[in-house]
């Protein structure tokens, strides 16, 4: 069963032609994370690599595909969590950083803190030798996948969410989670959603499993979605059943839609969503699994050329 990596490219809705490109993007990210695991890398190495791939793909609402806030600026959030030690690192409302997920790992590894925000996070990045990039390089003139499929302008006026993330289990049974986002379109300056919040945007604990979430951040925070799923797993539910239970609760309690990828330490995994679509992919036992629509589950050999 081990190792395994599962990634998502955001919950929401996008037109068919864009969803096909999104499928290719999440499959490439899953392949990249799986190669790390097959090479002996840790689950943390794998999720950071997978999410970095998605941040570098302008189809997705993270990194170079991030949506803009009400002032037309990019502000990004990210989180990583190590299930072996419960060590966590996060950044919130950061600008001029190409890969916030990598900066989050540095927060985890190089500081005694869990989360750094805005200017303080940028100062830390500079101290760590992380190159800063021009904001223009993080702005795309096309809509991110699963972000509503609406006309896209440098100052867009409407759209939806589309966070990216990954969970993994390595050959030692250690789990990890990583999540990254550009937030919601036209958000207020300084708005921070669920992504960098431990237990909301993600969680990882070797005793239970790991989760990465996507959806409307305010709803996810109200129910601490990632930790809620793991609570259900602690009560004996499978990764799939726990994911469905928590998503159903979020929908009924706060009218929130979203999606998750979930794993347990034995390598059982789930990609579940209550939104119209969620592009996802998983790699396990040299088989690539992927889909976008409800009930869609396609497979191919991991060695099949991309």
């Amino acid at each position: 069963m081990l190792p395994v990596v599962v990634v998502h490219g955001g919950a929401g809705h996008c037109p068919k032609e864009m969803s096909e490109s999104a499928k290719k993007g999440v499959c490439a990210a899953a392949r990249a994370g799986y190669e790390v695991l097959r090479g002996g890398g840790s689950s943390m190495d794998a999720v950071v690599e997978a999410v970095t791939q998605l941040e570098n793909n302008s189809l997705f609402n993270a990194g170079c595909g991030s949506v803009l806030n009400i002032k037309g600026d990019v502000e990004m959030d990210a989180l990583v969590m190590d299930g072996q030690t419960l060590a966590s690192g996060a950044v919130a409302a950061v600008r001029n950083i190409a890969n916030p997920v990598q900066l989050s790992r540095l927060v985890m590894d190089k500081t005694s803190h869990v989360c750094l925000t805005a200017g303080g996070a940028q100062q830390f990045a500079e101290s760590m030798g992380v190159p800063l990039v021009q904001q223009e390089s993080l702005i795309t003139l096309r809509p991110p996948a699963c972000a509503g499929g609406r006309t896209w302008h440098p100052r867009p006026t409407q759209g939806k969410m589309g966070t990216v993330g990954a969970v993994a289990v390595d050959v030692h049974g250690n789990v990890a989670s990583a999540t990254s986002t550009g937030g919601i379109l036209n958000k207020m300056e300084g708005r921070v959603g669920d992504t960098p919040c431990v237990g909301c945007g993600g969680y990882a604990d070797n005793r239970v499993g790991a989760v990465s979430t996507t959806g409307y951040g305010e709803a996810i925070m109200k129910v601490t979605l990632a930790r809620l799923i793991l609570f259900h797993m602690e009560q004996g539910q499978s990764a799939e059943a726990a994911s469905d239970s928590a998503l159903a609760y979020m929908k009924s309690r706060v009218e929130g839609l979203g999606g998750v990828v979930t794993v347990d330490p034995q390598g059982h995994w789930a990609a579940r969503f209550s939104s119209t679509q969620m592009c996802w992919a998983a790699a396990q036992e040299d088989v690539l699994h992927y889909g976008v629509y409800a009930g869609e589950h396609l497979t191919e050999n991991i060695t099949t050329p991309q």
Side-chain angles (χ1 to χ4, degrees), residues 267-279:
H268 303 102
W269 59 271
R272 308 295 292 174
F273 51 99
S274 55
S275 53
T276 306
Q277 298 163 239
M278 183 181 78
C279 46

Side-chain angles (χ1 to χ4, degrees), residues 149-168:
R150 296 177 171 86
T151 303
W152 187 255
H153 302 286
R155 289 295 300 275
T157 58
Q158 52 186 334
K160 295 184 179 178
M161 61 286 169
T163 299
V164 306
V167 292

Side-chain angles (χ1 to χ4, degrees), residues 250-276:
M250 184 172 73
K251 184 177 180 179
S252 66
R253 187 70 176 87
V254 295
E255 300 182 347
L257 301 178
V260 301
V261 289
T262 306
V263 292
D264 69 20
Q266 291 73 46
H268 303 102
W269 59 271
R272 308 295 292 174
F273 51 99
S274 55
S275 53
T276 306

Side-chain angles (χ1 to χ4, degrees), residues 41-273:
S42 68
S43 54
M44 178 58 66
D45 294 334
V47 295
V48 170
E49 177 60 29
V51 171
T52 295
Q53 293 278 329
L54 296 170
E55 288 178 336
N56 291 341
N57 186 333
S58 62
L59 276 174
F60 301 102
N61 179 16
C64 71
S66 295
V67 298
L68 308 184
N69 67 16
I70 197 167
K71 294 182 66 177
D73 297 324
V74 169
E75 292 183 313
M76 302 166 289
D77 308 328
L79 168 72
V80 298
M81 188 163 183
D82 185 333
Q84 185 174 18
T85 62
L86 302 188
S88 309
V91 294
V94 297
R95 309 182 182 197
N96 307 107
I97 302 294
N99 296 112
V101 71
Q102 295 182 12
L103 185 58
S104 293
R105 186 172 187 179
L106 286 172
V107 172
M108 179 181 72
D109 289 343
K110 303 296 183 180
T111 81
S112 60
H113 305 311
V114 168
C115 185
L116 297 178
T117 68
Q122 183 165 314
Q123 290 177 26
F124 172 68
E126 293 182 64
S127 73
M128 290 288 102
V130 176
L132 302 182
V133 300
Q134 293 297 313
Q135 178 171 255
E136 288 71 23
S137 70
L138 302 175
I139 299 175
T140 180
L141 297 183
R142 61 183 175 184
C146 293
R150 296 177 171 86
T151 303
W152 187 255
H153 302 286
R155 289 295 300 275
T157 58
Q158 52 186 334
K160 295 184 179 178
M161 61 286 169
T163 299
V164 306
V167 292
V169 192
D170 59 31
V171 293
H172 304 293
N174 295 318
V175 303
S177 171
T179 311
S180 181
T181 191
I184 57 174
L185 191 59
N186 269 351
K187 63 188 176 182
M188 292 176 63
E189 185 175 14
R191 178 267 187 185
V192 174
D194 66 292
T195 292
C197 301
V198 174
C200 300
Y203 202 85
D205 184 345
N206 275 10
R207 296 181 180 180
V208 193
V211 180
S212 173
T213 70
T214 173
Y216 187 57
E218 280 70 11
I220 290 172
M221 286 189 281
K222 289 173 184 176
V223 301
T224 54
L225 183 60
R227 193 63 187 84
L228 180 59
I229 290 170
L230 295 181
F231 168 78
H232 288 312
M233 291 172 67
E234 287 173 326
Q235 306 308 305
Q237 291 190 23
S238 67
E240 183 171 294
S243 299
D244 287 344
S245 294
L247 286 168
Y249 176 75
M250 184 172 73
K251 184 177 180 179
S252 66
R253 187 70 176 87
V254 295
E255 300 182 347
L257 301 178
V260 301
V261 289
T262 306
V263 292
D264 69 20
Q266 291 73 46
H268 303 102
W269 59 271
R272 308 295 292 174
F273 51 99

